[in-house]
Amino acid sequence: MPVAASAIYFLNLRGDVLINRLYRDDVGGNMVDAFRTHVMQTKELGTCPVRQIGGCSFFYMRISNVYIVIVVSNNANVACAFKFVVEAVALFRSYFGGVFDEDAIRNNFVLIYELLDEIMDFGYPQNLSPEILKLYITQEGVRSPFSSKPTDRPVPNATLQVTGAVGWRREGLVYKKNEVFLDIVESVNLLMSSKGSVLRCDVTGKILMKCFLSGMPDLKLGLNDKIGLEKEAQLKSRPAKRYRITEGVNLPFKVLPTIKELGRSRIEVNVKVKSVFGAKMFALGVVVKIPVPKQTAKTNFTVTSGRAKYNASIDCLVWKIRKFPGQTESTLSAEVELISTTTEKKSWTRPPIQMEFQVPMFTASGLRVRFLKVWEKSGYNTVEWVRYITKAGSYEIRC
C-alpha cells in the first residue's frame, strides 16, 4: 500500500510550526520552509490542496486557524492522507472537549505527540478510534472553558478491543429480546422526455442495519446478484453499504402529461399517473407538481383520486394522493386561465413535472435479501426484520 505520510506539520496562519512529527527519513526537516515560500506566501492556499514542490508532495487542509500539512516524497495515497487528517482531528477534539485550534494545540502538545505516535507507524495509519485509544491513553486534555465534557462510557477488556476488529461494540451486551433490523433504502432518479423516452435514470441505495443482539454474534447476509454485490457477506464491520445502478431499473410510476396552450389566456392540463409495482403494494405520500405560467389567474380541477390545488408561491398545480395502490392509474384534468399581458413577449418555457413518493416493500434495483442468519455461541433465538423502501430522488418528466 502506498505510504500516507512521511512527515506531518501543524502550522498557524502565520506559518509558524506548532507541532511536527517525522515518520520517515526520506524528507528533510526544512520541508515546511518550502511550503511557506511556495504556497503560503504566494497566497495559493485556496487553489488546490495538493502541491508538488522539489520532488515532494504536500497535502494540506485548514481546520479552524490551523493548517495541517502532510509531506511525502514517493508514491502516496492522497485519499488515505486526507481521511487520516479528518479522523485525527476528530480524535483530538474528543480529547479537547470538542475544540481544535491553535490554543488547544499549544495547551496539549504533550498529549498530541503521544497520540501521533499511536495513530501512525512509519507513515501508515493505525487505529484512530477515540473509544479504543482512550482505554490506554487516559490522559485528559486541557479543555476550553466553553466546551462541555462528554460522558465517556467505560469499555471493559481493553486488550480485546485493541487487538480485535470490534472497536465499535462493547463486550457483554445483553438484551431482553434479541432482534436485528435490516433496511434497504433506495432513491430513484429519473429524467424522462415529453415523448416518454428515458433520458437519465439511476438508483442510489444503502443497506442499513440496527442490531439489538446480546454478546458478540456473527451475522451472515445473503443477497441476490442484481447489483453485483457478493451473494453472501459475513458482517464483520459496521453494517452500512451503499450502491448505485444505472441499468435494469424498475420504475415505480409512469407519468403521461398532455399540456395544450389554447391561445394566450388558457391552458388545458391532463396528467395520467400509472403505478407499475405489484397490485398488493401501495405508495404513500404521492405528490405530483405540475408547473404552470406565472400569470395564472384561475384554475379548475378534476381528479380521480386525491386532492389538487394551485400553489402560487412555486407556480405549480400540486396534486396529492395519500395512498396509491399498485397496478392502478389516476388522472388529473385542469383548466388554467391566464392574465393577458402586453409586456410578456417571451414564450413559456415548461419546467418538468416533479414527483414525490415512498413505496414500502419495493426495490427499483431488484435487490432482495435471500437470508439473514445470526449465530452466537450461546445459541439464543433471534428475530430478523427486513424492510424495503423506495422513494423519489429527482423524479422529473418533461412536458
Side-chain angles (χ1 to χ4, degrees), residues 134-147:
K134 287 183 179 181
L135 295 174
Y136 52 95
I137 300 182
T138 58
Q139 178 182 349
E140 293 188 3
V142 178
R143 300 174 181 269
S144 169
F146 303 102
S147 64

Side-chain angles (χ1 to χ4, degrees), residues 62-234:
R62 177 177 174 178
I63 307 294
S64 185
N65 56 354
V66 177
Y67 286 104
I68 303 177
V69 183
I70 288 181
V71 185
V72 293
S73 64
N74 51 14
N75 187 23
N77 190 328
V78 180
C80 180
F82 282 114
K83 181 66 174 178
F84 171 80
V85 172
V86 173
E87 295 293 334
V89 171
L91 173 65
F92 297 149
R93 283 174 172 165
S94 69
Y95 273 93
F96 307 155
V99 177
F100 180 80
D101 53 17
E102 181 178 353
D103 293 335
I105 293 177
R106 293 185 183 277
N107 295 331
N108 298 277
F109 68 94
V110 176
L111 177 58
I112 293 177
Y113 275 121
E114 187 175 0
L115 290 172
L116 290 176
D117 289 337
E118 295 292 340
I119 62 180
M120 182 167 282
D121 184 15
F122 198 59
Y124 298 100
Q126 307 298 313
N127 196 337
L128 287 94
S129 173
E131 293 80 5
I132 302 302
L133 292 170
K134 287 183 179 181
L135 295 174
Y136 52 95
I137 300 182
T138 58
Q139 178 182 349
E140 293 188 3
V142 178
R143 300 174 181 269
S144 169
F146 303 102
S147 64
S148 59
K149 181 178 179 180
T151 57
D152 298 330
R153 294 180 297 177
V155 182
N157 201 342
T159 303
L160 175 64
Q161 295 290 333
V162 174
T163 59
V166 289
W168 60 89
R169 183 178 176 89
R170 294 186 294 116
E171 189 184 21
L173 291 176
V174 178
Y175 294 96
K176 293 182 179 180
K177 188 175 182 181
N178 294 289
E179 296 176 301
V180 56
F181 298 87
L182 183 69
D183 288 343
I184 311 294
V185 182
E186 295 186 345
S187 297
V188 186
N189 303 305
L190 171 70
L191 178 59
M192 182 175 290
S193 69
S194 58
K195 297 181 180 180
S197 59
V198 177
L199 303 178
R200 184 182 68 247
C201 183
D202 67 87
V203 175
T204 57
K206 51 187 176 181
I207 303 174
L208 305 175
M209 180 175 289
K210 191 170 185 179
C211 298
F212 298 93
L213 300 174
S214 304
M216 301 292 291
D218 288 335
L219 282 73
K220 184 170 287 188
L221 173 65
L223 305 172
N224 60 357
D225 55 356
K226 288 292 184 181
I227 58 175
L229 295 176
E230 296 181 359
K231 292 185 178 181
E232 296 184 8
Q234 194 167 3

Side-chain angles (χ1 to χ4, degrees), residues 359-371:
V359 188
M361 305 312 294
F362 172 80
T363 57
S365 66
L367 177 66
R368 308 298 294 181
V369 176
R370 293 173 53 238
F371 61 84

Side-chain angles (χ1 to χ4, degrees), residues 363-382:
T363 57
S365 66
L367 177 66
R368 308 298 294 181
V369 176
R370 293 173 53 238
F371 61 84
L372 177 60
K373 298 179 181 180
V374 180
W375 180 86
E376 210 272 337
K377 58 183 179 180
S378 63
Y380 56 71
N381 295 324
T382 61

